[in-house]
Amino acid sequence: MANAKRVAILATHGYEQSELLEPRRRLKEAGFDVEVISPERGEIRGWKDKDWGDTVAVDRVLGDASADDYDALVLPGGVINPDRLRTDADAVAFVQAFDRAGKPLAAICHGPWLLAEAGVVEGRKLTSYHSIRTDMENAGADWRDAEVVTDGHLITSRKPDDIPAFTDAVIGALA
C-alpha cells in the first residue's frame, strides 16, 4: 500500500507461530505495510503446540534493515526466538534504535527478553510471560500482570490469548 506506515516484525527460527502470524495479519488488514525481518535469509520456522510449525518468508535480512525504514517494531515470543535474538548484536542494536527514536516497540510473551537485553526496560512498566517476570524485574522493569501494558512507546503483552489487545495497542500507537 503506497504511503502506508511500515511495521517490522523481528523474528528467527522458533518464533511462537500465533504471535507472528496473527499480529501480521491484523496489521495488514488495518492497512499497514508489514515486513518480517530476520538474521536468516529465505524462510524461518515457527513453533506451534510443542513442536515445529509453519514457515514464513523473510522479507528483509536484518543486516539490510534500518529502524529509519519503519514506523514500529513487533517482537513475537516463543522461548527459542527471543533467546536466539538476544545473543545477536544486530538484533539488539535494531531494538535499541527503535527505542532511541521513540517509535512503537511492541513485545509479547518471551519477546521482552530482547527488550531487557537491549537495556530498554529499566524503570518502565511492562508485562511478559509469567515465567520471565523475575528476569524483567532484575533488568529494572516494573512488571505488571495485564493483557497489555503501554508505557510511552513500549507495548507489551503476556501470551497468545492477549494478541487481540496487543495488536489493537500497536494499531492505536500508529494511528
Side-chain angles (χ1 to χ4, degrees):
M1 177 177 277
N3 300 322
K5 287 192 176 176
R6 300 182 74 206
V7 179
I9 299 178
L10 179 60
T12 190
H13 297 289
Y15 61 87
E16 179 66 34
Q17 190 165 301
S18 63
E19 294 170 2
L20 187 153
L21 297 180
E22 189 61 14
R24 181 179 70 168
R25 180 188 67 77
R26 293 191 68 219
L27 289 163
K28 284 183 174 186
E29 284 177 357
F32 299 105
D33 179 13
V34 184
E35 288 189 352
V36 174
I37 310 299
S38 181
E40 288 84 22
R41 294 185 185 283
E43 294 182 331
I44 52 175
R45 183 168 297 283
W47 190 260
K48 181 181 179 188
D49 301 328
K50 301 179 182 167
D51 202 354
W52 291 103
D54 298 333
T55 59
V56 66
V58 172
D59 296 304
R60 188 177 295 196
V61 176
L62 179 59
D64 296 336
S66 168
D68 295 338
D69 297 335
Y70 301 95
D71 299 293
L73 176 60
V74 173
L75 303 172
V79 176
I80 300 166
N81 171 62
D83 196 45
R84 289 185 67 197
L85 288 173
R86 69 184 176 156
T87 64
D88 183 313
D90 291 335
V92 172
F94 196 60
V95 171
Q96 291 168 332
F98 277 88
D99 186 61
R100 276 193 310 275
K103 294 179 179 182
L105 180 52
I108 188 168
C109 196
H110 288 76
W113 261 344
L114 188 51
L115 298 176
E117 188 66 34
V120 303
V121 302
E122 189 170 352
R124 309 288 290 279
K125 290 185 279 295
L126 60 73
T127 193
S128 66
Y129 195 68
H130 64 88
S131 68
I132 66 167
R133 174 183 181 166
T134 301
D135 297 334
M136 295 302 102
E137 291 174 340
N138 287 343
D142 178 2
W143 192 90
R144 309 289 174 96
D145 184 13
E147 71 178 352
V148 66
V149 174
T150 301
D151 184 340
H153 62 274
L154 191 65
I155 301 163
T156 53
S157 285
R158 303 169 300 191
K159 57 190 175 186
D161 290 346
D162 300 338
I163 291 170
F166 175 71
T167 309
D168 288 346
V170 175
I171 292 168
L174 287 164

